[in-house]
Amino acid sequence: MLANRLSTPLVRAQSHARELSRALTGVSHPLVSSNAQQQQHSNVCTPPPLQRIAAVQIRQRHSQTQVKRLFKNHPARARVSNRLGMEKKPGVITERKYPAVYEPEAVLPNGWSSPPAEDFQLPQYPFHVPRTAGKVGGAAGFLPVYSDCRVHGTKHTTIIRKVTGDRDAFLAELRAVLRIDPRDDDVRIRAGGNIEVNGNRVREVKQWLGGLGF
């Protein structure tokens, strides 16, 4: 009677162990297995090294925004740079090489400004920015400077189109007019040759181009 009472829980435990082992490995074997069965059980449960490597998710390359947030603009980096005297020093902002030679007679609220007269002698610049064409009656067009808003309305930029000639000279003069550090990436050339400036600087850029006589 005592042996039957002791054997019943043991049988139930062994049955439960077999069901659990069958569910995990798909192989039915007793609780106490031989060395060969244990080796087979370890081979089934442990994936090969190649499978383990493939299962690891490889981290992709950081975006420029992540690099600035995690590395360049991180507070810990700023503290270490200040302690070691490695803080970024402001660059030298150059002065304008080409002063204004024309004052538009009229500037409308939509951004249009009157062009110079036909007998106006335009100075020789290394770059040129023509106005938009195709207006009704041959009217003077607009300066090709536009504002853009991207990244769900959080990034405002200024786009300058139709720039021909020496683009490096144009970028240097643009940085001098807008007082932008030459080492900053606030001014860049986009696909298609358009010039992009961070922030809404349309009014300043149009006033500068109009003063040059474009």
Side-chain angles (χ1 to χ4, degrees):
M1 182 67 65
L2 181 60
N4 293 336
R5 293 180 179 178
L6 294 176
S7 61
T8 300
L10 180 60
V11 171
R12 292 178 179 175
Q14 292 178 351
S15 176
H16 179 71
R18 284 193 298 269
E19 293 177 358
L20 181 61
S21 177
R22 190 182 304 111
L24 294 176
T25 63
V27 180
S28 177
H29 54 79
L31 179 63
V32 180
S33 60
S34 61
N35 293 334
Q37 290 176 339
Q38 291 179 358
Q39 182 66 24
Q40 181 182 5
H41 176 69
S42 62
N43 293 337
V44 172
C45 295
T46 305
L50 293 179
Q51 293 182 3
R52 291 198 301 268
I53 295 176
V56 177
Q57 183 179 3
I58 300 177
R59 187 186 184 96
Q60 300 296 329
R61 181 179 179 272
H62 292 293
S63 64
Q64 293 298 328
T65 303
Q66 291 174 329
V67 169
K68 290 182 180 179
R69 185 180 71 251
L70 298 177
F71 303 102
K72 295 183 179 180
N73 298 335
H74 198 277
R77 178 185 176 89
R79 290 194 298 268
V80 174
S81 299
N82 294 333
R83 185 169 64 251
L84 300 179
M86 299 169 55
E87 63 273 7
K88 181 180 178 181
K89 298 181 181 180
V92 178
I93 299 177
T94 59
E95 298 296 331
R96 296 180 55 176
K97 296 178 60 176
Y98 309 103
V101 295
Y102 174 74
E103 181 69 24
E105 298 179 359
V107 179
L108 300 183
N110 59 358
W112 182 88
S113 60
S114 59
E118 295 182 358
D119 57 349
F120 177 79
Q121 294 295 331
L122 185 67
Q124 295 294 330
Y125 300 116
F127 51 84
H128 184 66
V129 184
R131 290 175 177 250
T132 58
K135 303 301 178 182
V136 179
F142 290 78
L143 291 169
V145 183
Y146 310 92
S147 62
D148 191 13
C149 186
R150 296 184 284 113
V151 195
H152 305 288
T154 61
K155 184 177 181 61
H156 297 268
T157 58
T158 301
I159 306 297
I160 309 172
R161 300 176 181 173
K162 306 176 67 174
V163 179
T164 58
D166 191 350
R167 296 180 182 273
D168 293 336
F170 180 84
L171 294 178
E173 188 71 6
L174 179 63
R175 290 191 178 95
V177 171
L178 300 180
R179 311 300 296 174
I180 297 177
D181 193 331
R183 298 185 300 177
D184 293 340
D185 56 351
D186 292 345
V187 182
R188 52 199 167 272
I189 301 178
R190 303 291 294 181
N194 297 331
I195 308 298
E196 185 180 45
V197 184
N198 286 349
N200 191 346
R201 316 292 294 271
V202 175
R203 185 181 299 273
E204 301 173 68
V205 174
K206 284 189 174 182
Q207 183 179 2
W208 164 57
L209 294 178
L212 294 180
F214 293 124

